[in-house]
Amino acid sequence: MQLFFILSGIFFIIGLLGFAVTSYIERERHAGHVALLFAAIFAGIWFGSGYVFPTQTLLITCTAWSAVLLGAFILSLPIGKTHPLKIEPSLCERYDERDVIFGRMELGSDTWQYKEYYSNLNPDMKKFDDHLRELPSVGDPGGIHAHPLDSRYFQSVFKYIEKFNHLADPGSPINEPMEITAEEATNRIKGFGKYLGALDVRMTRLKDYHVYTHAGRRLDDWGQKLEPDHKYAIVFSIEMEHEMVHSAPLSPSSTESAVKYMKIADIGICLATYITELGYKARAHIDGNYQVINPALAHDAGIGELGRLGLIITPEHGPRVRLAAVTTDLPLIEDPPVNFGVQHFCQFCKKCAENCPSGSLESGNKKQIRGVFKWQSNMETCYQHWVKLGTDCAICMAVCPYSKPSSFYHSIVRFFSGRNALARRLAFYMDDVFYTKNPRHTRKPEWFSKEQ
Ligand code: SF4
Ligand code: SF4
C-alpha cells in the first residue's frame, strides 16, 4: 500500500521533471522553471499528505489516479464543435497576383508595368509603395536587425531561388501519357514527395479560386492572364526548424524561411518533372513563381487549417511549415480537408494578433473575404514592418501555441486538443502559464552568429 503511494508520487513527479527537461532542451526556460515549481509543490503536497494521513494513502492514491484517468477519458471524447472554415463557393472570387506586395516591390518606376499598375489598376497604393521602395530592402543596412554577415544567409538563398525558379514549368510532355490508375499515381506521388523530403503530400481538385487571375510576381510574365487549366493540385509541406523559427524576429527565422522555400522548390520541380516524364502536363508553384494560391490549396487538400495569423496550421507543426504545389492533369485521388479545432482555438487564443508589433493581424471576428469567412490580415503593414526590422519578422509564427515541437508532451496536448473543446481551452490557459502571453526567444543558434 505504502509502496503504491510512493511509486505513484514518483511517477507524477518524473512526469513533471520530464516536462521541465524537455522545456530546457527546447530553450523554453520559463516553461522549465514553472514545471520545476509544479514538481516541487506537488512533491510537498503528495508526500506531506502521506505523512499527515498515513492510513489514508491508498485512498489518496486511488483518488489521484481516478482523477487523472477520468480527466484523460473526458478530454479524449469528441466534445464541442470544431467550427470548420466556412467557404461560400458562390461568393468566391479570384485574386490578382499583381496586388501582392512582393510583386509590387519588383516594379521599378521606369518600367511599363509600374505605369500600368499605378495609373490604371491600383493608383491608391502608389504613395505607400513609393515610400517603401525608398527604404532599404529587407536585410540591407538600415533595418533594426540587419547584419552584414547574418542577413547574407537569407539574401543569398533567395537569390539562388531566383536563379532556378523558372524551372517550375518543365514544359509540355514529350511522351504519350502512360497508363496509370489514379490510385497508383496518388501512391507514387505521395511516396516520392515524402522521399524527396516533404512532410505531408496531399491532393485536391483545382478550382477557379485557387488560381490567380494574372501573374504579378516577375516582370517577364507580369500581367499574363492565368486560367485553371489543370485538373488537380498536389500540395506539400516541409517543416521549419523550431530553434530557427523561435529566434524571431532575428535573422535565423528569415534564413530558415528562405532555406525551406529552396528545399520545397526542389521537391516541386522534381515532382513536376517526373509527372511530365510520365506524359502528363504538370507545373510546380514555388517561391517567386506561383500561379496558384498555396494556402487555399493546402486548406482544401487537408494539409492543415487556416489560422488567425493567415497561415496554414498543420496538425504536427502548426504554422511552422512552408508550402508548395504542383498542378497537373495526372489522374489523382482527392484528399478531404481536415478539422482539428483550429478555428475554435483561434477564436479565444489571439496570441499572434496580440504579439504582432505592427498590428497587422485581426484580433476581432472573422470577415467574409472573397467568399471565405476568415480573419483579415494586412500584408502592407506587415511588410512595412519587415523593412523596418530588416528580417521577415515571423513573431506571429513563433508565438503560436501550435508551433511547438512534436515532442512527447506537445503531442499529448495535440491529441486531446484536436478532439475536445474543453482540452483546447485548457491547453490555451496552460500555454499562458508555461510559456507566458508574450513569449520571446530572440536567441540565435551558436553557429549562426557570434553575437547573441
Ligand atoms: S510577420 Fe510580424 S508584422 Fe507580420 S503579421 Fe506576423 S507578427 Fe505581424
Ligand atoms: S497564435 Fe493563437 S490565434 Fe494565432 S494562429 Fe496561433 S492558435 Fe490561432
Side-chain angles (χ1 to χ4, degrees), residues 307-311 313 319 342 345-353 361 375 396 399-403 428:
R308 182 185 285 274
L309 77 178
L311 299 174
I313 297 191
V342 171
F345 194 96
C346 287
Q347 267 176 28
F348 50 80
C349 171
K350 304 180 182 182
K351 227 167 200 172
C352 51
L361 300 177
W375 290 285
C396 47
V399 301
C400 178
Y402 282 100
S403 278
F428 170 64

Side-chain angles (χ1 to χ4, degrees), residues 249 309 311 352-353 355-361 377-379 381-383 385-386 389 392-397 399:
L309 77 178
L311 299 174
C352 51
N355 282 280
C356 172
S358 63
S360 302
L361 300 177
S377 50
N378 186 330
M379 65 177 168
T381 51
C382 171
Y383 185 78
H385 196 70
W386 291 16
L389 291 178
D392 69 5
C393 180
I395 287 174
C396 47
M397 185 189 284
V399 301

Side-chain angles (χ1 to χ4, degrees), residues 70-187:
L70 185 66
F73 174 71
I74 291 171
L75 294 179
S76 69
L77 296 175
I79 295 174
K81 288 184 183 165
T82 45
H83 305 280
L85 186 72
K86 200 169 145 201
I87 301 175
E88 183 48 62
S90 63
L91 298 175
C92 282
E93 285 170 34
R94 292 174 64 195
Y95 190 62
D96 190 336
E97 197 189 21
R98 293 175 294 185
D99 290 330
V100 177
I101 185 108
F102 304 113
R104 283 167 20 213
M105 289 299 108
E106 300 291 316
L107 306 180
S109 56
D110 54 346
T111 59
W112 68 265
Q113 292 92 337
Y114 176 94
K115 292 181 185 85
E116 167 76 7
Y117 189 75
Y118 295 109
S119 303
N120 300 329
L121 297 175
N122 203 349
D124 291 350
M125 292 314 298
K126 184 170 183 302
K127 196 171 165 204
F128 179 86
D129 289 3
D130 282 346
H131 171 66
L132 274 189
R133 272 188 211 92
E134 283 166 13
L135 301 174
S137 299
V138 176
D140 284 351
I144 295 170
H145 298 302
H147 183 284
L149 297 175
D150 293 0
S151 304
R152 291 291 197 283
Y153 288 128
F154 67 84
Q155 287 181 320
S156 47
V157 177
F158 277 127
K159 272 192 180 150
Y160 171 57
I161 299 173
E162 253 180 66
K163 286 185 199 301
F164 74 80
N165 69 10
H166 64 279
L167 299 174
D169 188 350
S172 301
I174 299 167
N175 309 322
E176 281 298 305
M178 291 185 186
E179 269 196 31
I180 185 165
T181 63
E183 192 180 11
E184 184 177 0
T186 303
N187 284 341

